[in-house]
Amino acid sequence: MSAYMKGHFRFFGVKSPERKQVLKIHTDKYGWPEAEALKSVCRLCFAEDAPRELQYCTQALLERKISLHGADILELVEELIPLHTWWDSVDFLSPAIAGRILKRHPELISRFPDNWIGHSNFWFQRAALLFQLKWKADTDAERLFTYVRAVAGTREFFLHKASGWALRQYAKFEPEKVRAFIGQQPLPSLTVREGSKYL
């Protein structure tokens, strides 16, 4: 597991089905953490010496009562994004957690992803690119296209890949909009290749 993640993280070596079963046994016995306790548990899971599986557990913990949360959990997501960051953590913190909250609270978009896209840490930029990934036809196309343009001039693989992924998902619902966008300005070849997959 560590080798797959380029040696960046320490793992217990517990596969996903077993990890989920352990979490279920624990929460069946002790319940799910609430409010401030939830934030404290997530911070512990992202502690410097925490094995990677604990970070994966935060997705289940946060999703459990996501409908009850708003800006407070977005602030937590913003706190967690730069901790032990790699594509696997950003790719659940952004679309699965932040994206679902922002869908219900669009007034918070300007406070979070609109700021993330200009952040000096490219993982925040990736989070901005991906927050609408599960929005389907409700994706704000102009915002997505603006974000993709904002990172097109970088040399960062993870941003080019995320841009293409976001465009590819949106192309399932609005292929002509994506086709027109890709044809209108120069984009990294990886972004074009990924974004054109369903066109």
Side-chain angles (χ1 to χ4, degrees):
M1 288 179 175
S2 181
Y4 179 70
M5 299 302 292
K6 309 294 185 185
H8 288 292
F9 309 105
R10 182 169 69 91
F11 283 79
F12 283 124
V14 178
K15 294 182 179 179
S16 181
E18 288 79 15
R19 184 188 77 240
K20 292 175 181 177
Q21 182 63 20
V22 169
L23 184 61
K24 182 180 186 304
I25 292 169
H26 179 83
T27 53
D28 284 349
K29 182 174 181 179
Y30 296 104
W32 293 81
E34 300 282 348
E36 292 307 310
L38 173 64
K39 297 177 189 177
S40 296
V41 170
C42 289
R43 290 184 182 110
L44 285 171
C45 288
F46 271 79
E48 185 174 353
D49 60 345
R52 197 63 167 171
E53 289 93 339
L54 294 181
Q55 282 123 63
Y56 299 154
C57 286
T58 62
Q59 179 173 357
L61 293 170
L62 290 169
E63 284 182 327
R64 177 73 178 187
K65 302 202 175 197
I66 203 166
S67 62
L68 304 178
H69 298 293
D72 59 330
I73 294 300
L74 289 173
E75 289 169 357
L76 177 65
V77 167
E78 196 169 62
E79 181 183 332
L80 298 179
I81 284 173
L83 301 180
H84 316 299
T85 318
W86 200 245
W87 59 265
D88 58 333
S89 56
V90 172
D91 292 3
F92 75 76
L93 287 171
S94 180
I97 308 301
R100 288 174 60 187
I101 294 173
L102 291 164
K103 185 91 184 303
R104 293 196 318 275
H105 299 283
E107 71 278 5
L108 296 173
I109 292 174
S110 60
R111 181 177 163 189
F112 292 97
D114 280 358
N115 284 326
W116 296 346
I117 195 62
H119 203 283
S120 58
N121 182 329
F122 73 83
W123 292 115
F124 278 99
Q125 295 177 299
R126 183 176 172 99
L129 288 163
L130 297 179
F131 88 92
Q132 298 187 86
L133 198 65
K134 300 177 184 293
W135 287 25
K136 301 180 180 180
D138 293 331
T139 297
D140 180 339
E142 285 311 308
R143 179 170 267 109
L144 171 60
F145 296 159
T146 297
Y147 286 5
V148 171
R149 280 193 293 265
V151 301
T154 74
R155 301 180 65 181
E156 181 49 60
F157 167 86
F158 287 108
L159 296 182
H160 297 172
K161 184 81 170 180
S163 293
W165 187 15
L167 291 171
R168 184 177 75 217
Q169 290 300 103
Y170 187 46
K172 294 178 181 179
F173 306 95
E174 294 288 352
E176 293 310 314
K177 284 186 180 180
V178 174
R179 189 191 310 276
F181 172 72
I182 288 176
Q184 284 171 358
Q185 63 270 300
L187 293 171
S189 58
L190 176 58
T191 297
V192 173
R193 185 167 67 250
E194 291 289 325
S196 302
K197 183 175 181 179
Y198 298 125
L199 299 180

